Amino acid sequence: MDQRSIGFLDSGLGGISVLSEALRQLPDENYIYFGDTLNAPYGDKDPQEVFRLTHQAVDKLIAMDCKAIVIACNTATSCAAGQLRQELSLPIIGLEPALKPASLLPGEGKILVMATHNTLRLPKFQALMQLYGKDALPVPCPGLMECVERGQLEGEEVDHLLRSILSPFLNEPVKAVVLGCTHYPFLRRAIARFFPENVPLIDGNAGAIRQLKRRLTEENLLGNHPFGGSVTFLSSSEDEAAVRRMQSMLRG
């Protein structure tokens, strides 16, 4: 057993949706969550800058003796995960839009992939599209991540923004909606109102944590805190309210 912590990183609050899934699947682990709130958002930054910021965050978590790293951000995964895996020996788990499971669902209609500009334009997603994107429509969502960072999960402003993003795609059948940013699961209820009840909203969180569990098991790194592990929140911002928002988001 390895009682060291698992490190999580994101540009802000979105990765907490992945952390929540980790606590469900792996409740006996300790976690350190780093939100780079000072530099958020990553979605429209130059990919080299996203790589630099992600590497910086990973270095911080490694310095805190984390045994594995979860890059709980689709954009940061696209920009940095491949290179980090070449450089580092510890498990590096990333996120990608859940296009594959969406494509395997029965039924007809388009698959809307909601994500940031960077996630949709980088090679990692383009490779996914080549394999599973026959019915997929990329949907860039400027401003949506910022709603979550501000704590605006519902209401008139969120609905207006979602309508402006989704209205071009609402006049034809939709088979599934992929939430391709870890912030978007927090907006699940607001997004679901634009689609019939039988249209699933899919994210990659559970699959990423299953992969984390596999890697920890394979490398004999599983922890065993009998009364449940701990969660430590860190922020690159000096604003103490940022950590309080993280704690609140995890509590739901």
Side-chain angles (χ1 to χ4, degrees):
M1 293 294 175
D2 191 321
Q3 306 292 58
R4 292 178 296 161
S5 297
I6 299 167
F8 273 68
L9 67 97
D10 181 44
S11 61
L13 302 175
I16 293 170
S17 69
V18 192
L19 176 61
S20 178
E21 179 64 26
L23 289 167
R24 189 184 71 80
Q25 291 193 38
L26 293 165
D28 298 329
E29 299 286 349
N30 286 336
Y31 298 94
I32 299 174
Y33 182 94
F34 175 75
D36 192 10
T37 50
L38 186 64
N39 296 296
Y42 284 2
D44 295 317
K45 280 184 165 59
D46 180 82
Q48 288 302 314
E49 175 67 0
V50 176
F51 173 80
R52 185 187 70 80
L53 292 169
T54 305
H55 206 310
Q56 188 173 280
V58 169
D59 289 345
K60 181 181 183 70
L61 291 168
I62 290 175
M64 300 180 73
D65 200 27
C66 288
K67 62 186 178 183
I69 303 293
V70 178
I71 305 176
C73 170
N74 290 269
T75 298
T77 297
S78 298
C79 293
Q83 182 64 36
L84 287 167
R85 288 180 182 128
Q86 293 180 30
E87 294 180 20
L88 302 169
S89 59
L90 78 170
I92 304 288
I93 308 300
L95 268 289
E96 66 181 20
L99 179 55
K100 179 181 178 179
S103 71
L104 298 175
L105 291 172
E108 301 294 328
K110 296 298 183 181
I111 298 169
L112 305 185
V113 185
M114 301 176 66
T116 67
H117 284 290
N118 263 342
T119 294
L120 295 175
R121 74 186 183 190
L122 287 167
K124 185 175 180 63
F125 179 71
Q126 294 305 312
L128 269 181
M129 284 289 286
Q130 288 292 321
L131 291 171
Y132 307 109
K134 180 173 72 74
D135 298 315
L137 293 174
V139 182
C141 300
L144 209 53
M145 171 267 194
E146 290 85 346
C147 287
V148 177
E149 290 291 313
R150 294 193 298 268
Q152 291 178 287
L153 307 185
E154 291 191 89
E156 186 175 338
E157 184 176 341
V158 173
D159 286 345
H160 179 76
L161 179 57
L162 284 170
R163 188 170 303 280
S164 69
I165 291 168
L166 295 172
S167 58
F169 310 100
L170 299 180
N171 292 324
E172 55 185 314
V174 173
K175 181 169 81 168
V177 179
V178 174
L179 305 179
C181 169
T182 56
H183 284 74
Y184 300 170
F186 290 113
L187 297 165
R188 185 181 297 272
R189 188 159 59 181
I191 294 169
R193 283 199 288 268
F194 287 84
F195 301 96
E197 288 186 4
N198 65 336
V199 174
L201 275 57
I202 305 172
D203 62 63
N205 295 355
I209 300 306
R210 285 195 297 271
Q211 174 66 2
L212 171 64
K213 189 173 183 177
R214 280 194 294 269
R215 291 294 307 279
L216 294 177
T217 301
E218 291 167 359
E219 301 191 28
N220 198 30
L221 293 174
L222 285 169
N224 182 26
H225 296 275
F227 301 105
S230 64
V231 179
T232 301
F233 287 106
L234 304 172
S235 169
S236 57
S237 170
E238 295 182 1
D239 181 8
E240 293 181 2
V243 170
R244 291 196 296 271
R245 286 197 298 273
M246 293 175 191
Q247 294 167 336
S248 176
M249 293 290 276
L250 183 62
R251 290 194 298 267

